[in-house]
Amino acid sequence: MNIYQEELLDHYENPSNYGTLPKPDISHEEDNPLCGDRIRIDLVVEDDTIREIRFCGHGCTISQAAASMLTEEIEGKTLAEVKKLTRDDILDMIGIPLGPVRVKCALLALKVLKAGAYGVQGWPGEEDE
Amino acid sequence: MNIYQEELLDHYENPSNYGTLPKPDISHEEDNPLCGDRIRIDLVVEDDTIREIRFCGHGCTISQAAASMLTEEIEGKTLAEVKKLTRDDILDMIGIPLGPVRVKCALLALKVLKAGAYGVQGWPGEEDE
Amino acid sequence: MPTANFRPLDVEAIRKDFPIFASTPPLAFLDSASSTQTPHPVVEAMDRYYDTYRSNIHRGIYRISEEATEQYERARQKVAKLINAQRSRQIIFTRNTTESINLVAYSWGSANIREGDEIVLTVLEHHSNLVPWQLLAQRTGATLRFLEMTDEGLLDFTQLRDLLTEKTKLVALTHVSNVLGTITPLQSIIETAHAAGAKVVVDAAQSVPHFRVDVQQLDCDFLAFSGHKMCGPTGVGVLYGKLELLQEMPPFLGGGSMIRAVERDVSTYADLPAKFEAGTPSIAEAIGLGHAVDYLTHAGLEAIHVHEQELLKYAHLRLQDIEGITLYGPAPHQKAGVIAFNIAGIHPHDIAGILDTQGVAIRAGHHCAQPLMHKLGVIATARASFYLYNTTEDVERLCDGLRKAQTLMTRTKGHEKPRRNR
Amino acid sequence: MPTANFRPLDVEAIRKDFPIFASTPPLAFLDSASSTQTPHPVVEAMDRYYDTYRSNIHRGIYRISEEATEQYERARQKVAKLINAQRSRQIIFTRNTTESINLVAYSWGSANIREGDEIVLTVLEHHSNLVPWQLLAQRTGATLRFLEMTDEGLLDFTQLRDLLTEKTKLVALTHVSNVLGTITPLQSIIETAHAAGAKVVVDAAQSVPHFRVDVQQLDCDFLAFSGHKMCGPTGVGVLYGKLELLQEMPPFLGGGSMIRAVERDVSTYADLPAKFEAGTPSIAEAIGLGHAVDYLTHAGLEAIHVHEQELLKYAHLRLQDIEGITLYGPAPHQKAGVIAFNIAGIHPHDIAGILDTQGVAIRAGHHCAQPLMHKLGVIATARASFYLYNTTEDVERLCDGLRKAQTLMTRTKGHEKPRRNR
Ligand SMILES: Cc1ncc(COP(=O)(O)O)c(C=O)c1O
Ligand SMILES: Cc1ncc(COP(=O)(O)O)c(C=O)c1O
């Protein structure tokens, strides 16, 4: 199986929800220190529910496609639901096996989203393994 | 061949020139940081020639016997001759093969003697290898 | 005697994993407290790395580098599990116990120790858990204080409360003395130290390899040990720390992998454990250590401890028969598998040298514990230490060798040669 | 072209020493700048240590420990000879280049750098030769200044005299850029720095493995490199220093083996090199490194250099044919065997990922040189690097893989899917 399969390339070339929001309730940005991939996520939240979402940034196919897929997934979800998302949920979305370095690319968007959802101070940090 | 051969044990049990001198011209003391063996050498020097010599200290057979042999060797020699003594001269006196740790024991007396003969400041230090 | 629910060691089978014991007669290796032998599966795991997936970790986007990264991180998980750390990111790979302790002294120490502060050590400490604190004290103006020991070689716990004041910021002590074998009452000391507001660094170089150590149960703040003393390779050690402490600490070594973003004048630092692992780490060695953990876990740390206890008791019994011997340290049940001793009239170096000719390897010297030597009033001792591969046969050969040394070294008693006397 | 009096490499024979190349098709390993493969004789030498004389060094009075000590010290002599150090005690074994540089920053730096002093670096530096100086500057109040590069990726030597003032205490620079391959004009820089009264630290991680480096000819004050980048094992690195400097420097890590005498509050320190090798060192690894030096010396460093130059020229030629490629850095004759590049429209991670599926291993990212990336105006690059075991076949496979990546990544151009556009 080739890791550059259609689905991923689609999201990479034509990302969903790409851009920024003028008045986000939550906005957070991080990069992957190993490679410099960067993602920012803006959210408009009403009644603890995500009403609008945009991401922007740069990086490889995996990091950008994962961000695109994630934004599709969580629109309309509550913050509580977002906090429950796990690394495996993302890897399932990606749908192809990834080595440890590319896993970090894949998880960058989730990391940004969670740090935003919890507030960076309250964030419990990446799960161990 | 057993390393605890007669000659060494003789010197260990009945060392030559053991003791101290009341008015040494040169007196120097050092220990082997690896094991705590310690040797002090006192010299009376006239016309650059060693007239009297004593050593004292504590340690294993090798370090103490080497000191005893060395004092026998250099009595009556000039300081210039002492400065020319090499590690191999000592190992020849000992006459049996030694591993690197015990070599340090064997050479302790020479180290003390040379540091004394050169004056500790002017001493060029142990030879490499 | 083994009564609990564990499998006793199959020492015969274990010895087959160590090629060094294949000669006849086999080497009686009684210096594991210095560095242990390394079993075949550990060496093989490292060879596999070198032969089939040799590469750097963390940044490689190719198969062998991903494999190396996975194996390296798996080793970290194994070590975390061994000492029951909550998170594997609390495990920092270093070179050895010494570097682990220096890391704490430089990073935590520089951030937390001020002039006038006190650091409490014990008289049992190895130089590696003493000199780093001396250097820290010199840098900061802090003072070192020492917990003494009783005549039996046990820590004088009663003194501890007097030593701990509001100035005490840190207690650094060994779990097991590498000379006397003394097992220190760590749990009570840590509780007492914490009650006084001090952090506790544990030198576990001689404990983690030999019995089960649980950092959560102990509640220690830092714990350090070495791979080469636990069937692992040289070149890798471990620092465990509490998560909040490690997170707050400033970096120690700067360089690749420990950064988040580098500008010309300032950098931000990576998350744990990367923050403390600057540069290319000991990759093969960490992988080897992971397999050593597997090896020890498979043999069973309870079984290893019981086996060592039996050897220790046996050795105490047999050694007491040797004329002129002094055994240092507490009774067998209060200590780990280490016996320091001296024999009247024979320098410990000579003991070791003669034993070597008999195929028996022991250590002689100050064992990097000079303050303890001063306390014992000796310059050096001989020391025999045990591990899972040792047998009562090794003990017998030690005793035979010691008798031989006595015969040799006393053969000329009374034949003084006046020629040498002045 | 090889004209001098040395034997050209027998690459076929060399490749047989590396089991990883035995598969078909063999791995095209183009990431040696990160970490090299390790030949069989080196792994074998370490196995021999583990299987036949596994023990600690320096203090053991038994045969296998003496053997380990001798082999460890012999490795030091081999390394000294390789770089033409006067004395083997000027060779300090560390974990890697990073630790070597940190040792200088902590020990020499703390003793010699004061508030207001200046440290000159270059824009080419690897984080390992930047972050330690940032940390030192933060501890002391010193300032970092940077030598820039020209558009061709060469150091702007004309700036140097302006940068050097009476405040300059140190110049720290790389011998070869790990990204651009640029070989810096070390000899002139060292002369100029010395004339200005500054000491010079050389990061030789990418030079010592690839061509002959002579510390006496260079007259550098310190020089650092890593075993794992020169056919050696992980876990061992080297610091060379001038004798007077090393002798005067205070200790860095405190612990066993680096002391002369330890009292409770103060210690005196051992002679070189022990003073800087606290604790049990990387014994197997140093021995392995000694054998790696033998291996490289036997192949011939001149021959290795010429071989890499040929590959480099060939690769430059072939890569220029790839559509949309940008090659960074100077012309082949001004650089070592490293090529950084980007391909328009494809993220370097994706390049590396696709090459991996073709059995070609390259690196992608910032290569621990973020200031240089900023200077180049990119976030990341792809990088291929060569060593003695690489062939023109590897270069061909790199080029084929890049073309494949282009086909894959551009296959949907013009098929925009409006569903995703908002
Ligand atoms: C130029 C340069 N300096 C320093 C280093 C750091 O080497 P190590 O990771 O072995 O400490 C590297 C390795 O990537 C390098 O290429
Ligand atoms: C109690 C204790 N602490 C620390 C050390 C130092 O360990 P290493 O040399 O592996 O750093 C030792 C090893 O001799 C030890 O026994």
Side-chain angles (χ1 to χ4, degrees):
Chain A
M1 173 161 53
N2 190 294
I3 70 161
Y4 292 89
Q5 51 159 223
E6 294 285 322
E7 169 88 0
L8 278 177
L9 281 178
D10 263 15
H11 275 277
Y12 178 63
E13 290 168 5
N14 306 299
S16 300
N17 304 306
Y18 194 87
T20 58
L21 292 173
K23 290 190 172 174
D25 298 301
I26 292 174
S27 176
H28 188 65
E29 174 167 336
E30 284 210 23
D31 51 24
N32 178 345
L34 292 181
C35 58
D37 283 5
R38 171 172 298 236
I39 283 175
R40 166 175 157 185
I41 295 183
D42 290 354
L43 302 174
V44 167
V45 180
E46 282 165 22
D47 300 335
D48 259 9
T49 301
I50 293 170
R51 294 294 173 210
E52 281 197 85
I53 181 162
R54 290 287 185 286
F55 86 96
C56 64
H58 53 74
C60 65
T61 323
I62 306 285
S63 70
Q64 303 301 304
S68 167
M69 289 170 167
L70 183 65
T71 59
E72 287 186 355
E73 179 74 17
I74 63 168
E75 191 164 0
K77 293 237 160 98
T78 64
L79 288 184
E81 284 171 316
V82 163
K83 289 178 184 174
K84 280 202 206 103
L85 282 173
T86 66
R87 116 194 207 119
D88 286 341
D89 294 328
I90 303 295
L91 298 184
D92 282 352
M93 283 179 209
I94 302 271
I96 52 167
L98 294 175
V101 172
R102 316 256 22 218
V103 161
K104 295 215 167 130
C105 299
L107 296 179
L108 180 58
L110 180 66
K111 199 177 162 192
V112 172
L113 181 67
K114 283 215 178 176
Y118 277 99
V120 185
Q121 295 309 322
W123 191 48
E126 288 169 273
E127 290 90 324
D128 248 11
E129 304 70 64
Chain B
M1 175 160 53
N2 191 296
I3 71 162
Y4 292 89
Q5 50 159 222
E6 293 286 320
E7 169 88 359
L8 279 177
L9 281 178
D10 263 12
H11 275 277
Y12 179 62
E13 289 168 4
N14 306 299
S16 300
N17 304 306
Y18 195 88
T20 57
L21 292 174
K23 289 191 171 175
D25 297 300
I26 292 174
S27 175
H28 187 65
E29 173 166 336
E30 285 209 25
D31 51 23
N32 177 346
L34 292 180
C35 60
D37 283 5
R38 171 170 298 234
I39 283 175
R40 166 175 157 185
I41 295 183
D42 290 354
L43 301 174
V44 167
V45 180
E46 281 164 23
D47 301 332
D48 259 8
T49 301
I50 294 169
R51 296 291 171 212
E52 281 197 86
I53 181 162
R54 291 287 185 284
F55 87 96
C56 64
H58 53 75
C60 64
T61 323
I62 307 284
S63 70
Q64 304 302 305
S68 167
M69 289 171 168
L70 183 64
T71 58
E72 287 187 355
E73 178 73 18
I74 64 169
E75 191 163 358
K77 293 237 161 97
T78 65
L79 288 183
E81 284 170 316
V82 163
K83 289 178 185 175
K84 279 201 208 104
L85 282 173
T86 66
R87 119 197 203 116
D88 286 340
D89 294 329
I90 303 295
L91 299 184
D92 283 351
M93 284 179 208
I94 304 271
I96 53 168
L98 294 175
V101 172
R102 316 259 15 222
V103 161
K104 295 213 169 132
C105 300
L107 296 179
L108 180 58
L110 180 65
K111 199 176 161 190
V112 173
L113 181 66
K114 283 216 180 177
Y118 278 98
V120 184
Q121 295 309 323
W123 191 46
E126 287 172 274
E127 289 91 323
D128 248 12
E129 302 80 58
Chain C
M1 290 294 104
T3 53
N5 53 346
F6 62 82
R7 214 165 15 102
L9 290 190
D10 181 351
V11 179
E12 273 315 298
I14 283 171
R15 287 172 68 86
K16 293 213 172 74
D17 293 326
F18 296 82
I20 207 161
F21 299 131
S23 58
T24 7
L27 176 67
F29 183 73
L30 297 172
D31 193 22
S32 293
S34 175
S35 207
T36 65
Q37 296 301 318
T38 308
H40 193 63
V42 171
V43 176
E44 213 172 47
M46 294 192 288
D47 286 0
R48 210 150 49 230
Y49 166 71
Y50 283 118
D51 289 349
T52 68
Y53 61 102
R54 174 78 176 88
S55 55
N56 216 325
I57 56 169
H58 287 322
R59 279 177 306 263
I61 307 179
Y62 47 87
R63 198 186 45 75
I64 58 172
S65 175
E66 293 181 334
E67 172 80 7
T69 306
E70 248 163 32
Q71 294 298 334
Y72 181 78
E73 293 303 328
R74 192 164 300 165
R76 197 191 303 282
Q77 291 164 21
K78 288 174 184 177
V79 171
K81 186 142 177 266
L82 177 74
I83 60 170
N84 195 28
Q86 294 94 321
R87 305 275 185 150
S88 68
R89 80 179 82 141
Q90 293 171 273
I91 302 300
I92 314 291
F93 284 126
T94 61
R95 179 172 40 247
N96 50 26
T97 305
T98 303
E99 191 194 6
S100 298
I101 294 172
N102 278 277
L103 193 167
V104 178
Y106 272 99
S107 168
W108 183 88
S110 303
N112 291 280
I113 299 292
R114 299 274 162 274
E115 188 168 349
D117 286 349
E118 293 185 354
I119 298 169
V120 171
L121 308 173
T122 88
V123 68
L124 296 175
E125 300 315 314
H126 188 281
H127 295 164
S128 290
N129 198 28
L130 168 52
V131 183
W133 309 117
Q134 290 181 345
L135 293 173
L136 175 63
Q138 285 162 22
R139 286 198 300 275
T140 57
T143 305
L144 305 184
R145 305 199 61 192
F146 288 84
L147 189 59
E148 301 295 336
M149 66 178 192
T150 64
D151 287 345
E152 306 95 75
L154 299 173
L155 282 185
D156 194 352
F157 185 62
T158 58
Q159 288 187 344
L160 184 61
R161 259 174 252 271
D162 294 338
L163 276 177
L164 293 170
T165 70
E166 74 284 0
K167 293 186 193 161
T168 315
K169 291 292 174 319
L170 184 74
V171 176
L173 86 164
T174 193
H175 198 173
V176 170
S177 160
N178 67 311
V179 180
L180 302 181
T182 313
I183 302 176
T184 59
L186 212 43
Q187 191 94 46
S188 338
I189 291 178
I190 291 171
E191 274 170 27
T192 314
H194 281 171
K199 303 287 180 222
V200 181
V201 176
V202 176
D203 175 351
Q206 300 292 350
S207 62
V208 165
H210 298 280
F211 51 83
R212 199 159 278 291
V213 173
D214 182 329
V215 290
Q216 293 192 60
Q217 189 194 314
L218 285 174
D219 197 31
C220 53
D221 299 286
F222 299 100
L223 182 121
F225 54 99
S226 297
H228 70 93
K229 290 187 201 282
M230 53 190 286
C231 288
T234 55
V236 65
V238 172
L239 175 66
Y240 157 87
K242 283 192 179 160
L243 201 57
E244 325 77 74
L245 293 174
L246 291 176
Q247 275 164 347
E248 283 164 14
M249 278 155 61
F252 172 42
L253 302 181
S257 305
M258 55 70 77
I259 55 91
R260 177 176 297 279
V262 177
E263 305 288 333
R264 288 183 173 200
D265 285 312
V266 49
S267 300
T268 50
Y269 305 111
D271 294 333
L272 294 171
K275 179 167 78 173
F276 291 113
E277 293 184 0
T280 303
S282 297
I283 302 171
E285 294 74 14
I287 293 170
L289 176 56
H291 284 260
V293 170
D294 291 344
Y295 191 85
L296 295 177
T297 312
H298 182 256
L301 279 153
E302 293 75 13
I304 291 171
H305 182 59
V306 167
H307 175 70
E308 289 178 24
Q309 281 293 315
E310 285 170 359
L311 283 178
L312 193 59
K313 277 179 219 152
Y314 184 78
H316 263 252
L317 218 65
R318 302 289 286 110
L319 284 169
Q320 272 155 9
D321 288 350
I322 309 260
E323 209 191 299
I325 201 167
T326 308
L327 302 181
Y328 303 99
H333 70 280
Q334 289 166 311
K335 71 181 208 177
V338 179
I339 305 183
F341 62 93
N342 265 322
I343 294 183
I346 315 185
H347 192 282
H349 269 193
D350 292 324
I351 297 178
I354 294 167
L355 286 176
D356 180 44
T357 66
Q358 310 300 304
V360 178
I362 67 157
R363 186 133 301 228
H366 55 54
H367 315 294
C368 298
Q370 287 187 357
L372 177 57
M373 294 292 118
H374 296 171
K375 187 83 182 179
L376 294 173
V378 298
I379 284 159
T381 78
R383 182 189 74 183
S385 53
F386 307 116
Y387 208 19
L388 71 170
Y389 36 64
N390 289 118
T391 62
T392 52
E393 172 79 21
D394 294 334
V395 176
E396 287 307 329
R397 291 187 42 208
L398 169 64
C399 295
D400 290 347
L402 292 176
R403 280 193 205 90
K404 170 123 189 175
Q406 286 183 312
T407 318
L408 256 170
M409 295 294 294
T410 52
R411 67 94 187 70
T412 49
K413 276 271 158 68
H415 305 247
E416 311 268 312
K417 290 193 179 125
R419 146 184 99 75
R420 299 203 186 281
N421 288 332
R422 286 170 173 245
Chain D
M1 289 294 103
T3 53
N5 54 344
F6 62 83
R7 213 165 16 103
L9 290 190
D10 181 350
V11 179
E12 273 316 297
I14 283 172
R15 287 172 68 86
K16 293 215 172 72
D17 292 326
F18 296 82
I20 206 160
F21 299 131
S23 58
T24 8
L27 176 67
F29 184 74
L30 297 172
D31 194 22
S32 294
S34 175
S35 208
T36 65
Q37 296 301 318
T38 308
H40 192 63
V42 171
V43 175
E44 213 172 48
M46 294 192 288
D47 287 0
R48 209 150 49 230
Y49 166 71
Y50 284 117
D51 288 350
T52 68
Y53 61 102
R54 174 78 175 88
S55 56
N56 216 325
I57 56 169
H58 288 322
R59 280 176 306 264
I61 307 179
Y62 47 87
R63 198 186 45 75
I64 57 172
S65 174
E66 293 182 333
E67 171 80 7
T69 306
E70 247 162 34
Q71 295 297 333
Y72 181 78
E73 293 304 328
R74 191 165 301 166
R76 198 191 302 281
Q77 291 164 20
K78 288 174 184 177
V79 170
K81 186 143 175 264
L82 177 74
I83 59 169
N84 195 28
Q86 295 93 321
R87 305 273 186 153
S88 68
R89 79 180 81 143
Q90 293 171 273
I91 302 300
I92 314 291
F93 284 126
T94 61
R95 179 171 42 247
N96 49 27
T97 306
T98 303
E99 192 193 7
S100 298
I101 295 172
N102 278 275
L103 193 168
V104 179
Y106 272 101
S107 169
W108 184 89
S110 304
N112 291 280
I113 298 292
R114 298 276 163 272
E115 187 167 349
D117 286 348
E118 293 184 354
I119 298 169
V120 171
L121 308 174
T122 89
V123 67
L124 296 176
E125 299 316 312
H126 187 281
H127 295 163
S128 290
N129 198 27
L130 167 53
V131 184
W133 308 117
Q134 290 182 344
L135 294 172
L136 175 63
Q138 285 162 24
R139 286 198 300 274
T140 57
T143 306
L144 305 184
R145 306 200 62 193
F146 288 84
L147 189 58
E148 302 295 337
M149 66 179 191
T150 65
D151 288 345
E152 307 94 76
L154 299 173
L155 281 185
D156 194 353
F157 185 62
T158 58
Q159 289 186 344
L160 184 61
R161 258 175 251 272
D162 294 339
L163 276 177
L164 293 170
T165 70
E166 74 284 2
K167 292 185 192 162
T168 315
K169 293 291 175 320
L170 185 73
V171 176
L173 87 164
T174 193
H175 198 174
V176 170
S177 159
N178 67 311
V179 180
L180 303 181
T182 314
I183 302 177
T184 59
L186 212 45
Q187 190 94 46
S188 336
I189 291 177
I190 291 171
E191 274 170 27
T192 314
H194 281 171
K199 302 287 181 220
V200 181
V201 176
V202 175
D203 175 351
Q206 300 292 350
S207 62
V208 164
H210 298 280
F211 50 84
R212 198 157 281 290
V213 173
D214 181 329
V215 291
Q216 294 192 58
Q217 189 193 315
L218 285 175
D219 197 31
C220 54
D221 300 286
F222 298 100
L223 183 121
F225 54 100
S226 297
H228 70 94
K229 291 187 201 280
M230 52 189 287
C231 287
T234 56
V236 66
V238 171
L239 175 67
Y240 156 87
K242 282 192 179 159
L243 201 58
E244 326 77 74
L245 292 174
L246 291 175
Q247 275 164 345
E248 282 164 14
M249 278 156 60
F252 171 42
L253 303 181
S257 305
M258 55 70 77
I259 55 91
R260 177 174 298 276
V262 176
E263 304 288 333
R264 288 182 172 200
D265 286 310
V266 50
S267 299
T268 50
Y269 305 110
D271 293 333
L272 293 173
K275 179 168 78 172
F276 291 112
E277 294 185 359
T280 303
S282 296
I283 302 170
E285 294 74 14
I287 293 170
L289 176 57
H291 284 261
V293 170
D294 291 343
Y295 191 85
L296 296 177
T297 310
H298 182 255
L301 279 153
E302 292 75 13
I304 291 171
H305 182 59
V306 166
H307 175 70
E308 289 178 23
Q309 281 293 315
E310 285 170 0
L311 283 177
L312 193 59
K313 279 179 217 152
Y314 184 78
H316 262 252
L317 218 64
R318 302 288 287 111
L319 285 169
Q320 273 156 8
D321 289 348
I322 309 258
E323 209 192 298
I325 201 167
T326 307
L327 302 181
Y328 302 100
H333 71 279
Q334 288 166 310
K335 69 182 210 177
V338 179
I339 305 184
F341 62 94
N342 264 321
I343 293 183
I346 315 184
H347 193 283
H349 269 193
D350 292 324
I351 297 178
I354 294 167
L355 286 176
D356 181 42
T357 65
Q358 309 300 306
V360 179
I362 66 157
R363 184 133 303 226
H366 55 54
H367 315 294
C368 298
Q370 288 188 356
L372 177 57
M373 294 291 118
H374 295 170
K375 187 83 183 180
L376 295 173
V378 298
I379 284 157
T381 77
R383 182 188 74 183
S385 53
F386 308 116
Y387 208 18
L388 72 170
Y389 35 65
N390 289 117
T391 62
T392 52
E393 171 79 21
D394 294 335
V395 175
E396 288 307 328
R397 290 185 46 206
L398 169 64
C399 295
D400 291 347
L402 292 176
R403 281 192 205 90
K404 171 122 189 175
Q406 287 183 311
T407 318
L408 254 170
M409 294 294 294
T410 52
R411 68 91 186 73
T412 49
K413 276 274 159 68
H415 306 244
E416 310 269 310
K417 289 188 181 131
R419 150 186 94 78
R420 298 204 188 282
N421 288 333
R422 287 172 171 242

